[in-house]
Amino acid sequence: MAEIDLEWPKKDNRRLLHVVYRVGDLERTIKFYTEALGMKLLRQRDVPEEKYANAFVGFGDEHSHFAVELTYNYGVTSYDVGDGFGHFAIATQDVYKLVERIRAKGGNITREAGPVQGGTTVIAFVKDPDGYTFALVQRPIVHDPFCQISLRVGDLERAIKFYEKALGLKVVRKVDNPENKYTIAILGYKEEDDATVLELTYNYGVTEYSKGTAYAQIAIGTDDVYKSADVVNLVTQELGGENTLRPGPIPGLNTKVTSFLEPDGWKTALVDNEDFLKELE
């Protein structure tokens, strides 16, 4: 048996590609994301034999921008978002203007635009038609507006260790807020102003969350799903988690993928970079 290179995730060519989640009405969601949030419809497919359809939306070309894969399962009109999912975040140069556009399109504003408590950054919170929360964050320069996925975890140090070892992500910022009893860690392959990042939130004393049925997974690009899966398997033995899909081509698509659950039960798929580019042709 070949020796497993535990440094592979740090040497690999990795990028957060897209997030996958389920919606109850695909056309309604596409309309909201494009007209209210300002995304573009990038690609769409219907797979009647498997009884599902999906659409990829985002703020730019998938070669360089993060995207959202919206999945509609025939006949399923609603999902439970659960309490473990936190939010998605969109960066914009004018939160007030974006809030007004979302309001005009019938969006649900759950926190009006204004400075964050104890700071100056202007933020707002809105919900999409399926109940997913979006944070809107004002930034002077925006590279990719889809800037963050926020998930809650029961053991932050274990989660950080897992994402560093198994996926090669780096902690770019960490904030402890004893007053409000939470700690967050921002992990990414680049700094948070330059690329989409993952935010892990630990609420003091809360060790478990419900995952619901709505949120599915994050997809990350890799140059070798087999080497990547070997490292993930070793790290899950040490820290917990579970392999959910052995590395190899997906029937029908032939894209090589492997997937797993991390110790808190959040799912990640590692996708072959070359195969992913072929999907975009």
Side-chain angles (χ1 to χ4, degrees):
M1 184 177 166
E3 193 174 322
I4 294 168
D5 181 5
L6 288 170
E7 293 300 305
W8 166 247
K10 290 176 190 156
K11 296 185 277 195
D12 194 9
N13 178 26
R14 299 211 171 172
R15 178 170 75 85
L16 298 183
L17 301 176
H18 52 255
V19 63
V20 185
Y21 50 98
R22 303 172 186 99
V23 298
D25 182 333
L26 191 57
E27 292 311 315
R28 176 188 68 183
T29 304
I30 290 170
K31 185 177 168 71
F32 182 80
Y33 281 35
T34 52
E35 294 182 6
L37 298 180
M39 296 188 198
K40 302 180 184 102
L41 176 61
L42 303 169
R43 52 191 172 118
Q44 192 169 358
R45 67 181 172 213
D46 191 15
V47 190
E49 61 275 17
E50 300 283 338
K51 296 185 177 172
Y52 80 90
N54 63 13
F56 287 79
V57 294
F59 289 99
D61 188 288
E62 283 181 80
H63 291 87
S64 56
H65 287 71
F66 190 77
V68 175
E69 181 182 343
L70 303 166
T71 300
Y72 169 68
N73 292 302
Y74 288 13
V76 185
T77 56
S78 67
Y79 292 93
D80 170 23
V81 175
D83 62 5
F85 169 77
H87 61 258
F88 303 118
I90 292 175
T92 175
Q93 291 180 326
D94 191 338
V95 166
Y96 295 96
K97 189 174 169 185
L98 182 54
V99 164
E100 288 316 310
R101 184 167 82 187
I102 292 167
R103 196 192 316 275
K105 297 294 179 183
N108 177 10
I109 315 299
T110 57
R111 191 242 196 229
E112 292 290 344
V116 68
Q117 189 181 354
T120 56
T121 303
V122 174
I123 64 164
F125 282 95
V126 303
K127 280 194 175 176
D128 78 357
D130 287 277
Y132 293 101
T133 296
F134 278 82
L136 312 178
V137 184
Q138 193 152 302
R139 288 183 182 170
I141 298 167
V142 177
H143 296 289
D144 183 347
F146 200 113
C147 61
Q148 187 187 89
I149 303 110
S150 174
L151 303 172
R152 299 183 178 108
V153 296
D155 182 333
L156 187 60
E157 292 315 310
R158 179 186 65 184
I160 289 170
K161 199 181 281 189
F162 185 92
Y163 282 100
E164 285 177 333
K165 284 185 156 188
L167 290 170
L169 284 157
K170 291 183 296 230
V171 176
V172 295
R173 186 164 62 94
K174 198 174 175 188
V175 179
D176 187 28
N177 190 324
E179 192 183 333
N180 294 306
K181 298 184 177 173
Y182 72 83
T183 308
I184 60 166
I186 309 283
L187 294 97
Y189 292 113
K190 293 182 180 177
E191 292 301 313
E192 62 183 307
D193 287 346
D194 298 327
T196 308
V197 294
L198 177 64
E199 177 187 273
L200 301 176
T201 301
Y202 169 68
N203 290 301
Y204 290 11
V206 185
T207 57
E208 274 187 43
Y209 292 95
S210 70
K211 302 294 173 296
T213 54
Y215 177 90
Q217 64 187 23
I218 292 176
I220 296 175
T222 173
D223 282 342
D224 191 323
V225 295
Y226 301 97
K227 281 165 86 169
S228 297
D230 284 342
V231 174
V232 169
N233 285 338
L234 267 187
V235 178
T236 54
Q237 286 170 35
E238 178 197 351
L239 296 169
E242 178 191 344
N243 190 306
T244 54
L245 181 68
R246 289 168 66 95
I250 296 175
L253 264 183
N254 287 326
T255 300
K256 291 184 286 299
V257 172
T258 185
S259 68
F260 59 90
L261 303 178
E262 46 87 285
D264 281 279
W266 297 113
K267 190 176 176 187
T268 300
L270 288 159
V271 181
D272 181 271
N273 283 323
E274 281 190 19
D275 292 348
F276 175 69
L277 292 177
K278 285 177 195 162
E279 276 189 43
L280 302 182
E281 287 173 3

